[in-house]
């Protein structure tokens, strides 16, 4: 009973906040609702017994990605009304394309058939006596290690790309050199002189 | 947990009500203790800082000024809560509440003694990390909703600062996890750590201590407040009860981070250095003492160090801590593998 | 640690070596800065050579390793060698260009290396997940390379366009994969094939998924109607990058397409043949027509590559070992010819600036005759004039198509190649019969000379020993059908 109640709370808040993401007038509110929906999605994962994924969702999406999102959105001075102005003329085209796609998808899923081997292929029972964090770890780092490492290379490329396309060396800026500062000794730069009074330096 | 549940079942409660009441009781107990400890941390900070600066600190309210925090609390509650007209009202009010809620929610998984924990979940450390990374929202929301330059700058600083230091904190936690072989906080405390492993974790403790300073926006990383240049930063527009909430949550976060350090590095409720002779002291006392030690560190640092410059802060986080912790994860993992000490 | 298997490990060793080399070179570049660009470029070239040696050194027997995610067989081995050759050629060509165009940044060769790694991974994929990761690795590198001259509006535009459309294509591919998974319950190539074999009736959902996957890959090989990005990206990207785009990713994508269509989707050949038929015809016709009105040589090469993909698809559609080997031969010849042409395009510099218009080639036969003759030979070959190599590529492809009864397709192909010959011949006419324009700058890097010379020699003398390549291709392609 409690689980059903929790499910309905999480699910309804999730859907409501997801709706608010796209309808809120203020972009910052949109992002905040997005965060709320992430949070509720994490709650649903917990109910499913996938606590590791739930926590990772909160740590990665709520704790890092959405913060940067919010960071950027807060600093942008955009009015969504202006952005939407031109968008209206594309609505008919979008509706037609989306509608056709939707009809197609409905017709596919209405006639959906599974291969007789599908259930056997997809069956991946949780190993006995292992919590799902460990089971996930085994999958990622043993069975799918190749794809995991390759995905790491994809992220490396993304990082290189971001740096290549945006980083600029600015010659006119004086940079702090910590090692040079630390290496400075009083003997190198200080000279102690005796000044006799009334004669100036 | 079972003990309390049994007590309620004994009173003739049905099972689910007994469990719910037991949980509620535990939560209230935790909240009370944390809130009280916050009051005394504030008092302690002022006393210790006073001693460090050769002043007396609070001395008037109650014996030795012990009731000073409560007097302050009353005073703050009595003040008017001003919400600027241009502020974004819902977010403005939500921000401090969110921050305090996060600071208290995290306590659900902290084991203060063997079996003394509200929720003994098997991803406890991730939960703790997740909740502590949520703390940034209070600050960033407050900064934005105040509709004030100073507050906004404070919010931005805080966001980038917390995100930066979370990265290395995550890697430090990974080191501890490698050693403990579990994500459960009680298991981490009880994990069998040979001396060489403990020595290997020592540098991580150092980095962690610095990172929690940044994570809680404490001196020398209190740039989001930066009273000298931002005149209070993200909370410049707050007053009255809302300000009190920020104030409370800052100190509650300090206590939380100290508890986290205690659990991860200092052996939680176990007697120090595994001295069996000290085992007669209840675990919760050891836990409290260790938390106080870290809290003293917080205050000591505040009394000693000047504030960092912003770029220095970022340099430290990204160019020193991140590479170092990354390297250390490999060192720890590698040596555990080589010496066959993996849990 | 305890299930470490050296035999398994050896199959992925070339890829592993490339990845490690990329990271080492990246660190070297990050520490020492852009001064190392030339050094890193040559190191990347050496990496390709060493990887090729490793590849030749390992056992090419058909097997799947890494938990069945990675496949090694003569086909993937040969295609990977081809890719490495293309990568080597483009890297060699680009070193001087980077300095000439003042974009000598050390990330450039490393991105090429990583893109190459992505292609190697996607070619060896035995699982839709590996395929996707490899595809994404190469695409992401290519997006960045397209926008590499970031201060140039056209280059940035090319990068952005490529990125947006490429991301859309990836999305479609993923959507298709999810539908395939929904039907089969697996993303492993052989298991998909197996689940299809045991199913009787029309697997509608699976077919829609397959269409989406094909659309995603058609974007990558820029088959019409998914070619919109190609001319703009080819024109806007730096020429060395354009050369790279034209040479290598196409081979990888075609190889992936072959593996998918003959492997997991093999049971639905009657259905995918219609799609491929349309793609092939549309690509050939559209490239022949649109190529006629191009004045920019890079745009022209874009349409030429679209058309060439169309011809390759003609061989691919047959679904027979003969057709597959024809595609392998065609792609090899295409790569070598295109490398030569792009080397010549990169020689088109006047007053320290690159020029790209076809009119700039006017009278090249008088100003630099050797270059003009080389270009003429390559273009004759591209338009399929016997006895040059390009003719045999087309011949084999059409033979295979006719052998399987695709008469209409073959006829359309021949007509299109006649029409397309016009725009190749137009360049030759401009070079030999038009008023001589100012001569090009006289300096030519060794790499360019070498690439031009090798490609011209190959094109000219292919006829002497055609069986060398054809037999290898046949042996390679048979691996696709042996399971």
């Amino acid at each position: 009973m409690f689980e059903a109640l929790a499910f309905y709370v999480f699910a309804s808040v999730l859907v409501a906040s997801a709706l608010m993401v796209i309808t809120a007038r203020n972009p910052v509110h949109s992002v905040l609702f997005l965060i709320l929906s992430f949070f509720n999605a994490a709650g649903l994962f917990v109910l499913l017994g996938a606590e590791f994924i739930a926590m990772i969702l909160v740590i990665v999406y709520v704790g890092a990605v959405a913060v940067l999102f919010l960071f950027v959105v807060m600093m942008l001075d955009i009015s969504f009304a202006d952005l939407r102005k031109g968008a209206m003329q594309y609505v008919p085209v979008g509706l037609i394309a989306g509608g056709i796609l939707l009809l197609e998808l409905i017709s596919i899923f209405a006639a959906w058939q599974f291969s007789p081997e599908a259930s056997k292929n997809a069956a991946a029972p949780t190993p006995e006596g292992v919590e799902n964090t460990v089971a996930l770890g085994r999958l990622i780092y043993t069975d799918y290690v190749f794809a995991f490492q390759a995905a790491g290379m994809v992220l490396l490329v993304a990082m290189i790309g971001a740096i290549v396309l945006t980083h600029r060396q600015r010659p006119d800026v004086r940079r702090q050199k910590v090692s040079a500062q630390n290496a400075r000794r009083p003997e190198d730069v200080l000279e102690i002189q005796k000044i006799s009074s009334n004669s100036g330096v | 947990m079972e003990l309390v549940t049994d007590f309620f079942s004994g009173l003739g409660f049905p099972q689910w009500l007994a469990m719910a009441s037991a949980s509620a009781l535990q939560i209230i107990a935790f909240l009370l203790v944390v809130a009280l400890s916050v009051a005394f941390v504030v008092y302690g900070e002022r006393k210790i800082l006073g001693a460090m600066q050769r002043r007396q600190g609070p001395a008037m309210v109650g014996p030795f000024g012990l009731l000073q925090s409560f007097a302050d609390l009353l005073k703050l509650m009595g003040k008017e809560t001003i919400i600027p007209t241009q502020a974004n009202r819902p977010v403005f009010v939500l921000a401090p509440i969110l921050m305090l809620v996060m600071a208290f929610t995290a306590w659900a998984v902290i084991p203060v003694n063997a079996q003394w924990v509200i929720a003994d979940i098997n991803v406890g450390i991730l939960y703790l990390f997740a909740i502590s990374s949520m703390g940034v929202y209070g600050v960033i929301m407050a900064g934005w909703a105040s509709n004030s330059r100073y507050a906004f700058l404070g919010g931005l600083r805080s966001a980038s600062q917390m995100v930066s230091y979370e990265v290395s904190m995550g890697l430090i936690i990974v080191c501890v996890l490698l050693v403990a072989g579990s994500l459960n906080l009680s298991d981490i405390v009880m994990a069998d750590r040979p001396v060489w492993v403990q020595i290997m974790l020592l540098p991580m403790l150092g980095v962690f201590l610095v990172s929690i300073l940044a994570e809680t926006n404490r001196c020398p990383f209190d740039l989001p407040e930066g009273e000298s240049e931002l005149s209070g930063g993200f909370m410049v527009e707050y007053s009255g009860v809302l300000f009190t909430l920020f104030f409370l949550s800052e100190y509650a976060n300090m206590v939380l981070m100290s508890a986290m350090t205690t659990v991860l590095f200092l052996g939680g409720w176990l007697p120090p250095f595994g001295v069996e002779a000290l085992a007669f002291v209840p675990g919760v006392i050891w836990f409290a003492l260790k938390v106080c030690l870290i809290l003293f560190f917080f205050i000591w640092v505040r009394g000693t160090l000047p504030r960092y410059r912003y770029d220095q802060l970022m340099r430290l986080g990204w160019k020193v801590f991140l590479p170092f912790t990354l390297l250390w994860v490999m060192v720890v993992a590698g040596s555990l593998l080589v010496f066959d000490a993996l849990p | 640690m305890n299930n470490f298997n050296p035999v398994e490990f050896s199959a992925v060793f070339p890829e592993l070596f490339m990845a490690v080399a990329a990271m080492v070179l990246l660190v070297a570049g990050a520490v020492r800065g852009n001064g190392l660009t030339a050094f890193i470029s040559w190191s990347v070239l050496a990496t390709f050579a060493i990887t090729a040696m490793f590849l030749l050194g390992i056992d090419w027997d058909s097997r799947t390793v890494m938990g069945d995610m990675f496949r090694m067989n003569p086909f993937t081995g040969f295609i990977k060698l081809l890719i490495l050759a293309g990568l080597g050629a483009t890297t060699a060509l680009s070193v001087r260009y980077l300095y000439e165009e003042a974009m000598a940044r050390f990330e450039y060769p490393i991105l090429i290396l990583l893109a190459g790694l992505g292609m190697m991974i996607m070619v060896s994929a035995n699982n839709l997940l590996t395929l996707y990761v490899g595809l994404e690795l190469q695409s992401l590198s290519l997006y960045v390379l397209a926008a590499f001259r970031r201060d140039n509006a056209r280059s940035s535009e090319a990068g952005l366009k490529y990125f947006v459309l490429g991301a859309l294509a990836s999305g479609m591919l993923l959507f298709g994969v999810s539908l395939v998974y929904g039907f089969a319950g697996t993303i492993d190539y052989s298991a998909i094939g197996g689940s299809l074999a045991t199913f009787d009736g029309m697997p509608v959902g699976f077919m829609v998924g397959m269409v989406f996957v094909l659309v995603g890959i058609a974007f990558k090989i820029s088959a019409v109607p998914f070619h919109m990005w190609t001319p703009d990206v080819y024109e806007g990207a730096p020429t060395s990058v354009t050369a790279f785009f034209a040479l290598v990713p196409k081979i990888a994508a075609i190889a992936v397409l072959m593996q998918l269509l003959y492997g997991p989707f093999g049971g639905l050949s009657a259905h995918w043949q219609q799609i491929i038929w349309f793609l092939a015809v549309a690509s050939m016709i559209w490239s022949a027509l649109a190529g006629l009105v191009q004045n920019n040589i890079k745009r022209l090469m874009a349409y030429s590559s679209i058309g060439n993909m169309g011809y390759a698809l003609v061989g691919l559609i047959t679904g027979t070992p003969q057709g597959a080997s024809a595609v392998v031969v065609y792609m090899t010849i295409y790569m070598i010819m295109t490398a030569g042409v792009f080397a010549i395009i990169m020689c088109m510099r006047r007053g320290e600036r690159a020029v790209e218009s076809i009119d700039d080639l006017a009278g090249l036969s008088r100003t630099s005759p050797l270059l003009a003759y080389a270009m003429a030979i390559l273009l004759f070959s591209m338009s399929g004039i016997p006895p040059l190599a390009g003719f045999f590529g087309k011949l084999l492809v059409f033979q295979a198509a006719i052998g399987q009864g695709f008469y209409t397709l073959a006829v359309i192909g021949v007509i299109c190649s006649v029409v397309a010959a016009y725009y190749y011949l137009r360049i030759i006419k401009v070079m030999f019969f038009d008023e001589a324009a100012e001569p090009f700058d006289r300096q030519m890097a060794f790499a360019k000379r070498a690439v031009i010379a090798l490609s011209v020699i190959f094109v000219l003398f292919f006829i002497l020993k055609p069986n060398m390549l054809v037999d290898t291709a046949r042996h390679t392609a048979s691996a696709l059908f042996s399971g």
Side-chain angles (χ1 to χ4, degrees):
Chain A
M1 190 217 51
F2 174 74
E3 280 186 13
L5 187 72
F7 170 79
Y8 284 114
V9 170
F10 283 132
S12 53
V13 177
L14 172 60
V15 173
S17 55
L19 274 178
M20 289 304 288
V21 173
I22 50 173
T23 51
R25 299 186 73 80
N26 190 326
V28 174
H29 289 178
S30 282
V31 179
L32 292 176
F33 278 114
L34 185 68
I35 294 160
L36 184 61
S37 56
F38 282 146
F39 211 74
N40 284 288
L44 289 178
F45 275 122
V46 171
L47 286 181
L48 289 172
E51 68 271 5
F52 182 77
I53 298 182
M55 293 306 150
I56 289 298
L57 185 72
V58 176
I59 293 174
V60 175
Y61 281 90
V62 180
V65 175
V67 173
L68 299 179
F69 240 61
L70 195 60
F71 197 91
V72 174
V73 170
M74 279 190 338
M75 286 201 280
L76 292 177
D77 187 23
I78 43 170
S79 146
F80 267 40
D82 289 350
L83 278 180
R84 288 192 184 130
K85 231 180 245 162
M88 281 313 281
Q89 54 181 325
Y90 298 113
V91 165
V93 184
L95 278 182
I96 292 171
I100 293 175
L101 199 62
L102 185 68
L103 280 179
E104 285 175 350
L105 286 182
I106 289 173
S107 58
I108 297 168
F109 285 115
W112 190 266
Q113 286 165 305
F114 289 99
S115 157
E117 295 195 349
S119 55
K120 187 194 73 182
N121 283 335
T126 321
E128 282 298 312
V130 170
E131 54 188 81
N132 74 35
T133 314
V134 178
L136 262 178
R138 281 189 191 157
L139 274 182
I140 295 175
Y141 298 112
T142 307
D143 295 357
Y144 290 96
V145 65
F146 184 73
F148 178 79
Q149 294 292 345
M153 298 305 288
V154 175
L155 292 181
L156 178 67
V157 170
M159 196 169 84
I160 299 173
I163 294 171
V164 164
L165 296 181
T166 57
H167 180 71
R168 275 167 212 281
Q169 289 284 355
R170 289 167 59 183
D172 53 332
V173 176
R174 299 228 285 170
R175 301 172 71 88
Q176 184 181 14
K177 294 199 189 80
V178 176
S179 51
Q181 287 176 333
N182 285 336
R184 230 163 98 112
R185 292 274 160 262
E187 303 84 66
D188 307 335
V189 285
L190 267 182
E191 194 181 340
I192 295 175
Q193 290 188 331
K194 282 239 180 292
I195 308 286
S196 50
S197 55
N198 288 330
S199 65
V201 181
Chain B
M1 181 77 194
E2 277 92 39
L3 204 77
V4 195
T5 318
D6 290 347
F7 169 72
F8 279 106
S9 312
L11 288 180
F13 283 36
Q15 182 63 26
W16 65 272
L17 191 63
M19 276 179 70
S21 327
S23 298
L25 204 70
Q26 282 176 323
I27 291 169
I28 291 168
F30 257 92
L31 286 185
L32 273 181
V33 172
V34 173
L36 266 181
S37 68
V38 165
F40 286 104
V41 170
V42 176
Y43 166 77
E45 169 163 37
R46 294 176 64 176
K47 268 293 192 201
I48 294 168
L49 280 183
M52 284 178 178
Q53 295 158 0
R54 313 204 69 175
R55 317 180 263 113
Q56 231 191 342
M60 301 305 285
V61 191
F64 309 105
L66 270 171
L67 299 178
Q68 180 68 42
S69 300
F70 300 96
D72 286 349
L73 184 70
L74 281 179
K75 178 200 73 176
L76 282 168
M77 299 290 233
K79 287 196 168 179
E80 184 191 355
T81 304
I82 302 167
I83 298 181
T85 47
Q86 293 296 308
N88 193 312
R89 235 183 129 86
V91 181
F92 188 83
V93 178
L94 197 61
I97 298 175
L98 183 78
M99 201 149 163
L100 191 68
V101 168
M102 287 306 155
F104 281 126
T105 321
W107 281 93
V109 293
I110 300 239
V112 292
N113 199 346
Q115 311 299 324
W116 283 30
V117 51
I118 297 176
D120 194 20
I121 61 176
N122 56 16
V123 286
I125 184 64
L126 291 181
Y127 173 85
L128 203 56
F129 192 52
I131 295 293
S132 74
S133 65
M134 297 276 295
V136 66
Y137 283 107
V139 178
I140 198 169
M141 280 160 74
W144 176 77
S146 305
N147 205 357
S148 142
R149 301 279 186 285
Y150 288 139
F152 187 58
L153 282 173
L156 291 186
R157 283 182 174 189
S158 159
S160 38
Q161 168 178 335
M162 283 177 153
V163 170
S164 310
Y165 279 82
E166 247 157 42
V167 182
S168 40
M169 270 177 77
L171 289 171
I172 295 167
I173 289 175
V174 168
C175 281
V176 177
L177 294 185
L178 283 171
V179 172
S182 169
L183 296 172
N184 181 299
L185 288 173
S186 303
D187 290 352
I188 289 174
V189 171
M190 297 303 288
D192 185 28
R193 304 179 187 184
V195 174
W196 65 270
V197 170
Q198 291 185 9
I199 291 171
M200 216 156 54
L201 283 182
L202 212 57
M204 289 294 96
L205 173 63
V207 178
F208 194 77
L209 284 175
V210 180
S211 298
I212 59 176
L213 290 177
E215 192 72 6
T216 48
N217 294 328
R218 284 285 300 187
C219 202
F221 302 131
D222 52 349
L223 294 140
E225 275 172 60
E227 69 270 9
S228 54
E229 71 261 33
L230 297 180
S231 60
F234 62 92
M235 38 181 159
V236 70
E237 304 291 343
Y238 281 85
S239 60
V241 177
L242 293 179
F243 175 78
T244 318
L245 294 182
F246 267 131
F247 194 74
L248 276 178
S249 57
E250 179 182 337
Y251 283 86
N253 265 328
M254 269 169 66
V255 182
L256 174 67
M257 286 297 165
S258 307
M260 194 164 160
T261 319
T262 307
V263 170
L264 291 181
F265 292 100
L266 303 186
W269 64 82
L270 300 175
F273 305 111
V275 182
E276 286 298 322
L278 293 171
F280 69 92
V281 182
V284 68
I285 304 278
W286 283 126
F287 189 86
L289 281 178
K290 288 171 180 175
V291 169
C292 286
L293 188 70
I294 307 288
L295 284 171
F296 179 75
F297 164 78
F298 269 100
I299 296 159
W300 190 11
V301 167
R302 179 172 172 189
T304 313
L305 294 177
R307 183 177 301 139
Y308 254 52
R309 214 172 56 211
Y310 193 66
D311 58 321
Q312 292 171 328
L313 172 80
M314 284 295 160
R315 176 198 301 275
L316 185 69
W318 288 107
K319 293 193 174 172
V320 181
F321 282 1
L322 180 59
F324 178 65
T325 46
L326 205 54
L327 176 79
W328 212 253
V329 169
M330 288 196 279
V331 169
V332 169
S335 37
L336 287 178
L337 193 67
V338 170
F339 296 114
D340 203 23
L342 277 172
Chain C
M1 219 57 205
N2 34 21
N3 50 19
F4 177 78
N5 181 350
V7 180
E8 211 172 82
F9 187 69
S10 77
V12 290
F13 194 76
E15 280 80 3
L16 218 54
F17 175 74
M18 277 171 93
V20 171
M23 289 187 271
V24 169
L25 292 173
L26 184 66
V27 170
V31 172
R32 299 293 299 275
N34 290 329
L36 278 192
T37 308
F39 170 76
I40 290 182
S41 299
W42 296 120
S43 308
V44 166
L45 191 62
T47 306
F48 291 140
I50 297 169
T51 312
M53 277 190 260
F54 281 136
L55 194 59
L56 286 169
I58 62 175
D59 184 8
W60 282 21
D61 287 346
S62 274
R63 61 189 188 278
T64 58
V65 295
M66 287 279 155
D68 284 350
M69 301 200 81
F70 190 92
R71 175 204 301 217
M72 183 74 225
N73 63 25
F75 179 74
T76 60
F78 182 76
I79 293 289
K80 284 198 261 188
L81 274 184
L82 213 55
I83 289 174
L84 285 171
L87 288 168
T90 39
T91 314
L93 282 179
S94 55
V95 184
R96 178 72 71 89
Y97 184 82
L98 289 176
Y99 283 95
E100 284 167 348
E101 294 292 311
M103 48 180 225
R105 316 240 310 272
F106 72 90
E107 290 96 343
Y108 181 94
I110 290 170
L111 282 169
I112 290 203
L113 181 53
L114 287 167
L117 175 64
M119 291 172 215
M120 309 257 294
I121 289 175
M122 70 193 249
V123 166
S124 342
N126 190 41
N127 186 306
L128 291 172
L129 181 64
T130 324
L131 165 65
Y132 175 70
V133 175
L135 190 71
E136 218 40 30
L137 181 54
Q138 71 124 10
S139 314
L140 209 52
S141 317
L142 297 188
Y143 306 146
V144 179
L145 283 172
F148 200 81
R149 207 176 338 170
R150 60 185 186 190
D151 298 320
N152 179 307
R154 286 200 322 186
S155 178
S156 309
E157 183 199 334
L160 192 62
K161 249 182 199 163
Y162 195 16
F163 173 68
V164 171
L165 290 174
L168 184 69
S170 295
M172 292 201 174
L173 183 93
L174 274 183
F175 186 61
V177 169
S178 71
L179 287 175
V180 168
Y181 179 78
F183 171 80
T186 175
I187 46 174
D188 187 87
Y189 280 7
S190 45
I192 293 173
S195 70
L196 205 58
T198 53
F199 183 81
D200 46 341
M202 262 257 285
V204 182
F206 183 90
M207 271 168 52
V208 176
M210 181 182 81
V211 171
F212 273 105
V213 172
L214 290 187
V215 167
I217 295 175
F219 257 106
K220 304 289 172 195
I221 60 170
S222 64
V224 179
F226 308 108
H227 67 288
M228 300 82 75
W229 56 273
T230 321
D232 292 339
V233 171
Y234 274 44
E235 189 190 350
T239 309
S240 60
V241 178
T242 312
F244 178 48
F245 284 0
L247 258 68
V248 206
K250 309 264 158 158
I251 296 171
I254 284 277
V256 165
L257 196 59
M258 287 164 84
Q259 286 177 318
L260 280 178
L261 292 182
Y262 303 155
F265 301 159
L268 290 175
S269 58
H271 299 283
W272 59 250
Q273 273 176 343
Q274 298 168 12
I275 302 169
I276 300 294
W277 194 92
F278 173 75
L279 291 178
V281 168
S283 305
M284 290 187 298
I285 295 181
W286 182 249
S287 100
L289 295 181
L292 296 180
V293 293
Q294 300 307 324
N295 269 324
N296 182 303
I297 192 141
K298 280 158 78 181
R299 278 188 96 84
L300 183 75
M301 289 311 290
Y303 284 105
S304 156
S305 82
I306 294 172
N308 278 306
M309 289 307 114
Y311 298 119
L313 290 179
V314 170
L316 203 153
I317 196 172
T318 59
T320 58
Q322 192 201 358
S325 67
V327 176
V328 173
V329 173
Y330 191 89
M331 292 311 292
T332 314
I333 294 174
Y334 163 77
M335 190 189 90
I336 295 172
M337 289 186 308
T338 315
V341 172
F342 269 101
I344 294 173
I345 292 176
M346 288 166 78
C347 294
M348 293 169 56
R349 306 184 63 79
R350 192 170 282 148
E352 302 286 298
R353 279 189 58 247
V355 289
E356 298 174 352
S357 159
I358 290 176
D359 298 330
D360 288 315
L361 284 167
L364 190 66
S365 62
R366 266 145 287 164
T367 51
S368 32
L370 268 178
L371 209 57
Y373 282 108
M375 183 74 158
I377 290 169
L378 291 172
L379 290 176
F380 274 129
S381 169
M382 281 198 131
S383 51
I385 307 243
L388 300 172
F391 167 74
F392 291 97
K394 284 187 175 149
L395 181 71
L396 285 170
V397 162
F398 291 139
Q399 257 181 0
I402 289 171
Q404 289 298 304
F406 290 97
Y407 297 113
T408 333
L409 193 62
V411 170
I412 295 175
V414 171
I415 294 173
C416 287
S417 74
V418 171
V419 177
Y422 168 78
Y423 61 69
Y424 296 123
L425 295 180
R426 184 167 67 112
I427 302 178
I428 295 172
K429 176 222 148 207
V430 169
M431 285 194 305
F432 283 85
F433 302 112
D434 277 13
E435 194 84 6
E438 254 181 83
F440 291 139
D441 295 352
R442 279 250 153 243
Q443 38 85 22
M444 258 176 81
F446 170 75
K448 280 179 205 161
R449 291 169 202 249
V451 170
I452 297 172
L454 283 177
S455 116
V456 169
I457 289 170
F458 174 84
V459 164
L460 277 178
F461 298 113
F462 176 73
I463 187 169
L464 298 182
K465 260 197 173 302
N467 281 339
M468 217 159 71
L469 180 59
V470 175
D471 289 342
T472 319
R474 190 163 298 147
H475 171 63
T476 324
S478 64
L480 274 174
F481 296 90
S482 60

